[in-house]
Amino acid sequence: MSENHRRVAVIGASGDRSKYGNKAARAFAAQGWEVFPVNPSLSEVEGLVCYPNLAAIPGDRLDRVSFYVPPAVGIGILDQIRDKRVDEVWINPGAESPALLARAEELGIDVIQACSIVAVGEDPGRF
């Protein structure tokens, strides 16, 4: 799959442009990713359809899932990740906790603890 057809779910996507869940959606889109915002309280983010959970995202796989939610919320999403084919799980600063990391390990999910916006070559301050 080519770089510009990669698929990412942004967990905790936000309509508030000052929030990292919004900045991430814009940063991934700027780099050519197909972005799937996930937030059960919203119907759209930055003109993109917003999904209530990972299961609602069309297709059977995602290249990346990026967390912008509190650890207690993230723990509940790990089961959805296990059930959907996901290549990379990124836990952004503030979304991690010992309990979340332990649960991911129990489920056999390898996580990357880093800023996914920077990882795709963008500066969060730009957004």
Side-chain angles (χ1 to χ4, degrees):
M1 180 167 286
S2 74
E3 277 298 306
N4 37 343
H5 290 99
R6 294 186 58 153
R7 297 163 41 97
V8 61
V10 177
I11 307 295
S14 173
D16 181 342
R17 296 189 115 216
S18 71
K19 301 272 188 178
Y20 279 87
N22 181 287
K23 292 176 185 237
R26 290 185 283 140
F28 277 103
Q31 290 295 319
W33 288 65
E34 185 176 4
V35 180
F36 298 93
V38 177
N39 185 325
S41 302
L42 300 174
S43 60
E44 70 90 23
V45 169
E46 296 295 322
L48 301 168
V49 171
C50 192
Y51 296 88
N53 54 49
L54 286 176
I57 295 173
D60 66 347
R61 67 174 296 281
L62 291 163
D63 295 287
R64 183 176 293 179
V65 170
S66 190
F67 277 61
Y68 291 94
V69 291
V73 174
I75 288 172
I77 295 165
L78 292 172
D79 287 321
Q80 294 176 39
I81 287 171
R82 180 196 58 209
D83 297 340
K84 191 157 190 105
R85 290 178 40 214
V86 178
D87 293 339
E88 298 177 351
V89 177
W90 287 67
I91 307 297
N92 290 276
E96 78 281 12
S97 75
L100 182 140
L101 298 174
R103 180 65 178 144
E105 187 174 337
E106 286 172 15
L107 293 172
I109 298 169
D110 292 324
V111 300
I112 299 162
Q113 293 182 71
C115 178
S116 65
I117 295 172
V118 172
V120 294
E122 293 289 350
D123 174 359
R126 176 175 168 234
F127 298 96

